[in-house]
Structures are given as C-alpha cells and as structure tokens.
Amino acid sequence: PASRAARAAPRAAPRATPSMVATGEPLEDWLLSNNVEPNLQKALRGMFTACKEIAYKIRTASCNKMECFNDFGDEQLAIDLLADKLIFENLEASGVVATASSEEVPVEKPITTGGSYSVAFDPLDGSSIIPQNFAVGTIIAIFPPGPFSDRRGDDIIAAIVASYGPRTELFIAIPHGPNPRCLRFLLTANPPPPP
C-alpha cells in the first residue's frame, strides 16, 4: 500500500531531462516541499546523482571480472569498483559528509572536515548477476557523524535503496522527525554519459 504522502503527491508528465520522481513529484520539489534539512538535501542529492550515474554505467559498462578481492574475500568486478568510486566522488562533492565506508573499502574514509554525516554503503549489491540481466542495487545508510562502531540501526537519519533493472527506482526513508516518511522515486530518463 502506498504511503499517505505518496498518495497525496500530484501526478506530472515525465520530464525530458533525467529526473527522479515520487509518484509524479520530482526529487528537488519533494525535498523543498517537505522541509528536509538543507545539509541532508545536499547529501541526498549527491546520492541520487551517484545512483543515476551507476544506472547508466550498468547499462553500458563491461562486467568482466577483475583479479582482486575486497577485505571480506568477495571477488570484485570492475563495475563494483566504478560504482564505489562514483559514490565516494558524489559524497565528497556534497560537502556535508564527514566520513564514509563501503563494502569495497571497509574502512572509515575521511571526506569533509566538520561534515554533518557519516555514510555507509554497498555500492552494487548483486553485481555478479548483471550479465544475466537480473536487478541489482545500491544500499546507503546516512548516520550522524562519528565512528560506525558506535552506531545502531535506529541511529539512521536517512536510508536509500536503489534498484537497477528494467527501471531504476530509488526508495528513500527518513525515519525520524515530525513526519517520518518513505517514498519511491523513479528515474524517468537515462542520464547522458559523464564528460
């Protein structure tokens, strides 16, 4: 069942430019109309931008295996490392993330001194099944700044799950505050390749 916020959102015609929509409402409009804290808006925009770029790369990049393994012993694909790089770049560009850690780089990497958040993510869960054309995803948790060893699930400020398949969908949850919410956003056009 759709959430009350999702049911109330007006439907709009798809835009020609790449856009994320929640039942018709573009991400930018949703962030502003729901009074999402400005630094959290920056972090979320960075993550959504990274997910749009990852969606494009999944459709166009080679998925050949590399001769390397992450710290958990999982074999890494070139697309895993590319997705990881895109997310770290967008976290840095947001200017609001203090530290981040990923499945591919499982150490707390300093990003922005004095940043408002710490971000943990799996850049591309299920990447080994991309050649079979199954859906894969990105999982992101945004926490208050500080060491991850001190964090619990209920400390999450916001979470994003991206599903890359025939369509790219992103689900965002903001569990705290006066209006806890979870919405689905749909990529309505493929982004152009990065320069």
Side-chain angles (χ1 to χ4, degrees):
S3 71
R4 184 170 23 144
R7 284 194 310 266
R11 295 199 178 269
R15 295 180 179 193
T17 58
S19 156
M20 289 289 178
V21 293
T23 61
E25 186 174 17
L27 171 67
E28 194 62 33
D29 295 348
W30 182 84
L31 290 171
L32 295 172
S33 67
N34 283 278
N35 298 317
V36 174
E37 192 271 324
N39 279 350
L40 185 55
Q41 288 185 33
K42 290 177 185 177
L44 293 172
R45 278 189 208 101
M47 295 301 83
F48 275 50
T49 298
C51 290
K52 285 192 246 182
E53 292 173 11
I54 292 167
Y56 176 80
K57 294 295 186 182
I58 287 172
R59 287 178 175 81
T60 61
S62 167
C63 295
N64 293 331
K65 293 186 177 183
M66 296 179 59
E67 294 296 322
C68 60
F69 296 85
N70 66 16
D71 287 356
F72 299 112
D74 297 327
E75 189 172 14
Q76 293 175 310
L77 302 177
I79 193 74
D80 288 314
L81 300 175
L82 180 60
D84 195 67
K85 179 179 181 269
L86 289 170
I87 292 175
F88 272 113
E89 286 173 354
N90 279 281
L91 288 173
E92 186 174 344
S94 76
V96 297
V97 175
T99 58
S101 180
S102 75
E103 181 184 34
E104 308 308 321
V105 183
V107 295
E108 293 180 28
K109 179 179 174 184
I111 304 289
T112 302
T113 303
S116 302
Y117 308 105
S118 289
V119 177
F121 61 94
D122 182 346
L124 203 52
D125 190 47
S127 59
S128 65
I129 61 174
I130 290 174
Q132 288 77 28
N133 202 28
F134 291 125
V136 295
T138 297
I139 304 164
I140 303 167
I142 301 173
F143 293 94
F148 290 112
S149 60
D150 296 341
R151 300 287 169 232
R152 301 183 331 209
D154 60 356
D155 293 332
I156 292 175
I157 293 171
I160 297 171
V161 172
S163 174
Y164 312 108
R167 302 192 290 185
T168 297
E169 296 180 303
L170 280 87
F171 300 86
I172 178 173
I174 301 177
H176 305 291
N179 186 17
R181 50 219 178 261
C182 181
L183 287 173
R184 175 183 148 264
F185 291 84
L186 177 67
L187 181 62
T188 57
N190 286 331

